[in-house]
């Protein structure tokens, strides 16, 4: 896959559509994503830029570490810090 609907990304990240679009806009401002042609069925679509792909490859370990840290299902309740 090289293009994604912002609705689909929002759903997968458990965000509202509005928050998903805001996140996509932020990543566009940082040069990691770019808008592509919209789709009647899927709506707004984005894709990773060449610079974004390079950045993700260079920071893959950090991205995985953050994902593990944020996935509370990997830990016992006593191990999770609650706000």
């Amino acid at each position: 896959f090289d293009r994604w609907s912002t609705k689909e990304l929002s759903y997968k990240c458990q965000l509202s559509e509005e928050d998903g679009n805001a996140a996509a806009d932020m990543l566009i401002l940082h040069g990691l994503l770019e808008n592509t042609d919209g789709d009647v069925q899927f709506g707004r679509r984005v894709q990773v830029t060449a610079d974004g792909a390079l950045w993700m490859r260079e920071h893959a370990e950090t991205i995985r570490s953050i994902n593990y840290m944020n996935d509370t299902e990997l830990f016992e309740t006593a191990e999770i810090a609650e706000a």
Side-chain angles (χ1 to χ4, degrees):
F1 297 103
D2 64 347
R3 296 184 185 121
W4 297 274
S5 157
T6 56
K7 287 181 185 180
E8 178 184 13
L9 289 173
S10 299
Y11 174 76
K12 288 183 178 186
C13 294
Q14 299 178 353
L15 299 172
S16 68
E17 187 175 344
E18 182 180 333
D19 288 344
N21 279 319
D25 289 339
M26 187 245 343
L27 293 170
I28 288 169
L29 288 173
H30 288 285
L32 300 175
L33 292 181
E34 63 188 1
N35 284 310
T36 64
D37 295 334
D39 185 278
V40 174
Q41 182 178 1
F42 297 108
R44 180 181 179 194
R45 295 173 60 88
V46 293
Q47 69 183 13
V48 176
T49 63
D51 288 340
L54 176 62
W55 183 90
M56 285 189 280
R57 281 192 299 276
E58 290 175 348
H59 296 89
E61 184 62 32
T62 301
I63 293 167
R64 276 192 296 277
S65 295
I66 291 170
N67 184 45
Y68 292 142
M69 183 176 64
N70 288 332
D71 188 353
T72 58
E73 293 183 12
L74 296 173
F75 303 98
E76 298 283 329
T77 304
E79 297 175 311
I80 299 171
E82 295 183 13

